[in-house]
């Protein structure tokens, strides 16, 4: 039939589509990986391609008290953000998925709003709120702000898992005497564990990657790694940033690879 998709279309007739897809992927990825060889340069400035290779900028990073403090702050904030955003996002996703009420679309839009609203607006609002309640330049304040930014991702990912879940299993558990919470913990949660795991990793990476809010509410020894990187790039040209960026790229790749391995395992 004219206009219908033909399964048997030869690959060579779809080469243009493959070429466009590969071109888009390269356009997005190649600039990221350019930073890797720059991190091994011995030059005082950013240099690509590097003329001489050296580990001096990695040594500069690991031997710097300031960089290590910022790294420790980012790791702590990211870890606690993951611990807070994941259960809150799961609860919100569960409620929005299985609640039948006319207000659900509005509530869902409210929950994902931090992902849609420009981050600079969120940062300004958070700063003025924190200035009034004394949370500026605190770890707790950073965790709360990053949690607000991470929850939309958790909700979207967990919602996708819940929509593939057979609710008859949870209903069967409740018919045997379990209350809704016990049925959720023992039946639903194990069934969507991969979505939960992916959501937790995304929450962790979201916190590690965030810089705009940190620019407004963190300073000095409470500054995150990305905030210190931004300040260093603004004030001076320091190739240590290239080394740190390479390490962050490696961390992201390890997280993605780890999730890929977990997701490829057959369900028990």
């Amino acid at each position: 039939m004219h206009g219908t998709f033909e399964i048997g279309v030869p690959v060579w007739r779809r080469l243009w589509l493959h070429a466009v897809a590969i071109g888009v992927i390269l356009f997005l990825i190649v600039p990221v990986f350019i930073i890797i060889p720059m991190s091994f340069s011995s030059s005082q400035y950013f240099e690509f391609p590097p003329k001489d290779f050296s580990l001096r900028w990695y040594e500069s990073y690991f031997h710097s008290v300031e960089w290590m403090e910022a790294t420790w702050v980012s790791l702590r904030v990211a870890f606690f953000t993951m611990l807070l955003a994941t259960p809150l996002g799961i609860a919100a996703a569960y409620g929005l998925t299985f609640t039948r009420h006319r207000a659900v679309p509005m509530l869902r839009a409210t929950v994902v709003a931090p992902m849609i609203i420009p981050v600079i607006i969120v940062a300004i609002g958070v700063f003025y709120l924190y200035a009034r309640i004394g949370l500026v330049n605190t770890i707790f304040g950073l965790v709360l702000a990053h949690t607000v930014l991470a929850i939309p991702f958790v909700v979207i990912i967990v919602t996708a898992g819940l929509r593939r879940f057979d609710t008859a299993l949870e209903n069967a558990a409740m018919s045997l005497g379990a209350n809704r919470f016990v049925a959720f913990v023992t039946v639903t949660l194990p069934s969507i564990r991969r979505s939960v795991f992916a959501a937790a990793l995304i929450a962790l990476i979201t916190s590690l990657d965030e810089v705009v809010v940190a620019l407004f509410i963190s300073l000095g020894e409470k500054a995150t790694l990305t905030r210190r990187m931004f300040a260093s790039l603004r004030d001076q040209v320091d190739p240590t940033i290239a080394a740190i960026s390479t390490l962050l790229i490696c961390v992201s790749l390890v997280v993605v690879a780890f999730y890929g391995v977990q997701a490829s395992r057959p369900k028990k």
Side-chain angles (χ1 to χ4, degrees):
M1 184 180 295
H2 180 71
T4 59
F5 177 73
E6 298 179 7
I7 297 178
V9 175
V11 175
W12 64 268
R13 294 182 61 180
R14 301 196 298 269
L15 284 178
W16 66 271
L17 181 59
H18 293 284
V20 171
I22 293 173
V24 171
I25 292 173
L26 291 176
F27 178 78
L28 295 174
I29 293 179
V30 169
V32 174
F33 288 100
I34 286 178
I35 203 71
I36 296 177
M38 292 173 61
S39 69
F40 293 98
S41 173
S42 61
S43 173
Q44 286 285 118
Y45 307 99
F46 290 111
E47 185 180 73
F48 183 83
K51 296 178 181 178
D52 299 307
F53 289 90
S54 171
L55 296 175
R56 62 177 297 189
W57 303 117
Y58 289 91
E59 294 176 357
S60 173
Y61 167 62
F62 286 109
H63 289 90
S64 170
V65 176
E66 291 79 9
W67 284 118
M68 288 295 99
E69 285 181 348
T71 302
W72 178 234
V73 169
S74 286
L75 291 176
R76 281 189 294 166
V77 171
F79 178 73
F80 288 118
T81 296
M82 180 183 67
L83 291 184
L84 187 59
T86 303
L88 291 177
I90 292 173
Y94 185 85
L96 293 173
T97 301
F98 296 112
T99 300
R100 298 292 180 263
H101 193 276
R102 66 179 64 183
V104 167
M106 183 180 65
L107 292 174
R108 181 177 289 109
T110 302
V111 170
V112 301
M115 187 172 61
I116 302 171
I117 298 174
V119 182
I120 185 67
I121 297 178
V122 176
I124 294 173
V126 168
F127 171 74
Y128 279 102
L129 174 63
Y130 280 12
R132 289 179 176 271
I133 61 179
L135 286 180
V136 174
N137 206 32
T138 64
I139 297 296
F140 182 66
L142 280 169
V143 171
L144 287 182
H146 287 188
T147 299
V148 170
L149 297 176
I151 282 179
F153 297 98
V154 177
V155 170
I156 291 173
I157 295 172
V158 175
T159 298
L162 288 171
R163 287 178 176 172
R164 294 193 300 268
F165 171 68
D166 185 2
T167 56
L169 299 175
E170 186 177 286
N171 293 332
M174 289 189 290
S175 69
L176 295 174
N179 58 41
R180 182 171 290 275
F181 178 77
V182 173
F184 172 79
V185 172
T186 58
V187 178
T188 306
L189 193 59
S191 299
I192 62 169
R193 62 185 182 278
R194 291 180 178 175
S195 296
V196 172
F197 183 66
L201 292 180
I202 293 298
L204 180 75
I205 293 176
T206 299
S207 177
L208 285 175
D209 184 62
E210 203 287 317
V211 61
V212 179
V213 172
L215 285 172
F216 281 78
I217 64 172
S218 68
L219 185 68
E221 61 182 20
K222 294 295 193 303
T224 62
L225 182 61
T226 50
R227 193 225 187 278
R228 191 171 291 277
M229 289 173 65
F230 183 87
S232 180
L233 189 63
R234 180 192 60 194
D235 299 335
Q236 60 182 336
V237 180
D238 186 0
T240 305
I241 299 173
I244 300 172
S245 300
T246 300
L247 293 174
L248 290 175
I249 292 171
C250 292
V251 169
S252 300
L253 292 177
V254 168
V255 169
V256 172
F258 181 69
Y259 173 72
V261 171
Q262 295 296 320
S264 62
R265 291 182 176 178
K267 292 184 178 180
K268 297 181 180 180

